Amino acid sequence: MQEQAITRRADATPHAASLIEGLRDIGYSLESAISDVIDNSITAGASCIEILADTFSHEPFIAIVDDGKGMTEEELVSAMRPGSKNPLDNRDEQDLGRFGLGLKSASFSQCRRLTVISRKSERTSAAVWDLDDVAERNEWTVQLPDEVVGIPGIDHLGSSGTLVVWQKLDRLSAGYSQNAVRRAEVINQRLSETERHLRLVFHRFMEEVKPLRILMNGRQLRPLDPFAKRHPATMADPAERLTLSHGDVEIQSFTLPHHHRMSKAEWEDIGGPEGHLKSQGFYLYRGKRLILYGTWFSLCRQSELTKLSRVRIDIPNSMDGDWSIDVKKSSAQLPPIVRDRLKKVIERIQDGSKRTYRKRGQKLVDHERLPMWNRVQASGQISYRPNVDHPAFAAFAESLPPDLRRGFFNCIALVGASLPIETLHADMAGAPEQIVPDRVDEDTLVQAVQSTLSVLLRAKKDLKEIVSLMKDVDPFRSSWEDTQRIIAATIGTKEEV
Ligand SMILES: Nc1ncnc2c1ncn2[C@@H]1O[C@H](COP(=O)(O)OP(=O)(O)O)[C@@H](O)[C@H]1O
Ligand SMILES: [Mg+2]
């Protein structure tokens, strides 16, 4: 298109009041808003960040204080300017910012009054954006108060650092402005959801040699590593590197330990409120800060088969354009080359987990392994049938007179035929780890252990082999300590005799 000489122009300065209101609605949540403010503190070199919230008072507030390098008044005024930095400028590798908007847009998404107090070289500066004031004056002017006493959180600001205070929390208290108790409940609930998000999003900063500390109302948050790298049963594939024009992408796959190998608390913590099925997938980090997680980017479905797989992707901030990182730093799109590579990663993961499942299935059908249940697959259908040849059944049946024996086998067949398949399906889809084998009482266990032992001893198996066979099958596996004790007692008696 040819450019024409322009002779006329008209003033099109945005209306301060409406544009600043528009900044509120780009889709932040409380957790993504607080994370964006924390990003600034990390970029400013903070080693401790405190979140202070008073939700019960008449005028609730949320404050975020850091001990970073702080700002002069001039820097502060520039920081308050929406669009204070051009997204096309180069940024330091450590800089977590992007558009020069975060502080303002994140804050206004939650509140109508943003106060920032910053201390640098022993000078304290303060600036306030109050949306009601902007609406009234319709001007792009920030207030510069002389007095900072009485600002919530000011006594937490040290010799250098920055305090960000949100007041007039209209969004957070939506619908409850008249009911202080209910309002406090709602805000506190949201804050406790935020806590997990922060533990996850900033875990790598919190795990460093000189760890970043994040406190919420005085309580230090623990990092939450989504790959459970410290757990001895976690499996990590080697990291691979992809060099692109604007930087390197690093990819590493992890397989979480099976829930049997973790404590319940650990398993639930790492699965989060949505559970493991929804938490599998890619975890995308930009400059070590987690920006997206729990998605396969439409490359495959989140399935039971890949439930324990999580793949870490690391990108530098120089690739924002290629990945379409948005203002909230909570969405991104895959560049085509990366997409192809990730498809391969997924194929490998799927092959691997199919193999593990097959192995587990194998165990179940292997005769040597003494299954109580047989898996029978025929003409496209799968059914489970109690294994009447199992020593525990067989030995007992032998002890019965022939006419009762038949009734006994009928009862067992009935149990098999009435397996509650629909309920199992429903539970498997929801929380499969909550389905556990029922415990049997001592008497039943003793009978099962003794009859199994005698059959295996008769088959001339040595004790070591017997123990390793029994260890893998229920009901022995789930009551292993009791089983061991009963084996010892049984063998002991035999040896005495
Ligand atoms: N806690 C802080 N400590 C020091 N400087 C800050 C802090 N918060 C914001 N700033 C300054 O304000 C600027 C604007 O912040 P922001 O609106 O979040 O945009 P961005 O982070 O994309 O640059 C930052 O680039 C930084 O220079
Ligand atoms: Mg920022």
Side-chain angles (χ1 to χ4, degrees):
M1 199 174 70
Q2 212 178 349
E3 293 223 354
Q4 292 179 345
I6 302 294
T7 51
R8 290 179 348 112
R9 285 178 188 272
D11 178 40
T13 311
H15 279 290
S18 51
L19 192 61
I20 211 162
E21 287 282 340
L23 264 186
R24 309 196 73 188
D25 286 314
I26 53 178
Y28 278 97
S29 58
L30 175 63
E31 53 208 40
S32 57
I34 293 187
S35 304
D36 219 343
V37 174
I38 291 183
D39 280 350
N40 289 339
S41 301
I42 294 178
T43 305
S47 60
C48 180
I49 299 167
E50 279 191 85
I51 300 157
L52 307 164
D54 182 355
T55 51
F56 283 101
S57 86
H58 256 327
E59 292 174 351
F61 69 86
I62 293 177
I64 299 147
V65 204
D66 69 49
D67 59 356
K69 67 178 182 290
M71 291 176 269
T72 60
E73 184 176 274
E74 198 184 333
E75 288 167 332
L76 174 59
V77 170
S78 153
M80 295 300 260
R81 185 191 303 280
S84 54
K85 252 189 197 165
N86 187 335
L88 303 178
D89 286 352
N90 276 340
R91 288 198 181 244
D92 277 358
E93 208 180 307
Q94 266 68 349
D95 192 340
L96 297 175
R98 167 104 172 94
F99 290 96
L101 270 179
L103 173 64
K104 287 71 66 173
S105 53
S107 301
F108 297 148
S109 73
Q110 307 300 316
C111 73
R112 292 191 69 80
R113 185 177 170 87
L114 160 67
T115 304
V116 182
I117 315 236
S118 202
R119 199 166 283 159
K120 186 176 192 174
S121 314
E122 288 170 19
R123 297 193 65 133
T124 305
S125 322
V128 179
W129 270 125
D130 187 308
L131 297 189
D132 296 321
D133 180 56
V134 176
E136 211 175 285
R137 304 171 64 94
N138 202 13
E139 278 179 354
W140 291 108
T141 49
V142 288
Q143 304 170 18
L144 301 177
D146 293 322
E147 198 51 79
V148 295
V149 281
I151 302 275
I154 187 70
D155 47 335
H156 288 251
L157 192 60
S159 56
S160 89
T162 301
L163 163 68
V164 172
V165 189
W166 297 344
Q167 286 162 299
K168 300 191 182 172
L169 300 169
D170 63 333
R171 290 283 167 87
L172 272 174
S173 51
Y176 294 108
S177 50
Q178 303 308 319
N179 185 342
V181 175
R182 186 77 187 101
R183 180 182 62 199
E185 276 172 14
V186 170
I187 303 181
N188 287 339
Q189 173 63 32
R190 304 284 308 284
L191 281 169
S192 78
E193 290 157 12
T194 300
E195 184 172 321
R196 181 173 191 279
H197 183 82
L198 300 179
R199 292 174 52 213
L200 189 57
V201 164
F202 297 106
H203 77 95
R204 283 165 82 180
F205 300 95
M206 295 156 95
E207 285 164 354
E208 274 168 10
V209 191
K210 268 177 81 186
L212 167 72
R213 295 192 305 134
I214 302 181
L215 287 85
M216 209 180 234
N217 277 338
R219 200 164 37 81
Q220 185 169 345
L221 305 189
R222 280 180 301 118
L224 175 51
D225 170 14
F227 312 107
K229 282 191 299 297
R230 296 212 175 136
H231 197 289
T234 295
M235 287 184 298
D237 286 357
E240 22 185 329
R241 189 177 289 258
L242 200 61
T243 302
L244 305 181
S245 50
H246 296 124
D248 288 355
V249 182
E250 213 176 275
I251 304 168
Q252 189 172 18
S253 313
F254 295 86
T255 310
L256 296 181
H258 196 256
H259 66 84
H260 279 140
R261 313 201 53 176
M262 281 187 154
S263 72
K264 190 163 185 276
E266 254 180 317
W267 172 259
E268 281 177 2
D269 197 24
I270 202 166
E274 301 229 59
H276 281 262
L277 190 64
K278 293 272 167 57
S279 314
Q280 62 181 298
F282 295 114
Y283 282 66
L284 177 64
Y285 294 78
R286 169 184 182 262
K288 294 197 181 153
R289 191 266 213 216
L290 182 60
I291 55 177
L292 247 183
Y293 59 93
T295 167
W296 290 116
F297 292 128
S298 320
L299 294 176
C300 76
R301 279 194 321 136
Q302 291 184 312
S303 76
E304 270 300 321
L305 205 63
T306 47
K307 190 166 84 169
L308 300 178
S309 303
R310 299 184 176 192
V311 180
R312 186 167 85 191
I313 307 175
D314 270 304
I315 59 171
N317 63 6
S318 54
M319 301 180 96
D320 287 347
D322 305 327
W323 288 75
S324 320
I325 305 292
D326 73 340
V327 172
K328 307 181 304 276
K329 290 173 235 152
S330 61
S331 85
Q333 269 153 26
L334 291 183
I337 299 187
V338 180
R339 197 179 183 82
D340 290 344
R341 175 65 72 96
L342 293 183
K343 267 192 200 149
K344 295 216 174 70
V345 172
I346 290 179
E347 275 164 26
R348 219 172 38 225
I349 292 173
Q350 286 175 330
D351 283 354
S353 40
K354 269 183 209 142
R355 262 198 309 279
T356 344
Y357 267 71
R358 241 180 270 135
K359 245 192 261 157
R360 251 184 245 150
Q362 197 64 40
K363 249 191 203 167
L364 205 70
V365 292
D366 191 343
H367 267 279
E368 277 288 75
R369 296 262 161 204
L370 295 173
M372 276 276 181
W373 288 86
N374 281 331
R375 180 177 182 273
V376 187
Q377 192 167 10
S379 39
Q381 291 183 316
I382 302 167
S383 48
Y384 284 85
R385 195 175 294 159
N387 173 19
V388 287
D389 296 328
H390 189 283
F393 294 143
F396 178 65
E398 253 174 57
S399 72
L400 293 173
D403 48 333
L404 284 184
R405 210 177 288 171
R406 193 188 167 118
F408 170 68
F409 283 126
N410 286 347
C411 286
I412 293 183
L414 264 182
V415 171
S418 53
L419 198 66
I421 291 175
E422 270 146 42
T423 327
L424 274 175
H425 278 169
D427 289 340
M428 284 304 281
E433 66 279 2
Q434 286 175 9
I435 312 176
V436 293
D438 196 10
R439 291 187 72 88
V440 289
D441 65 24
E442 175 83 8
D443 192 35
T444 315
L445 192 63
V446 168
Q447 189 192 327
V449 172
Q450 288 181 343
S451 49
T452 306
L453 262 182
S454 78
V455 169
L456 291 174
L457 285 170
R458 247 187 284 147
K460 301 253 181 291
K461 305 244 178 232
D462 68 32
L463 189 61
K464 220 167 131 197
E465 207 179 339
I466 295 178
V467 167
S468 100
L469 276 174
M470 292 177 69
K471 199 171 178 173
D472 273 343
V473 287
D474 281 318
F476 311 130
R477 177 177 55 188
S478 47
S479 308
W480 187 236
E481 272 180 26
D482 292 332
T483 301
Q484 275 177 307
R485 174 175 51 78
I486 300 168
I487 295 178
T490 312
I491 303 276
T493 325
K494 280 232 173 81
E495 275 169 1
E496 272 167 35
V497 171

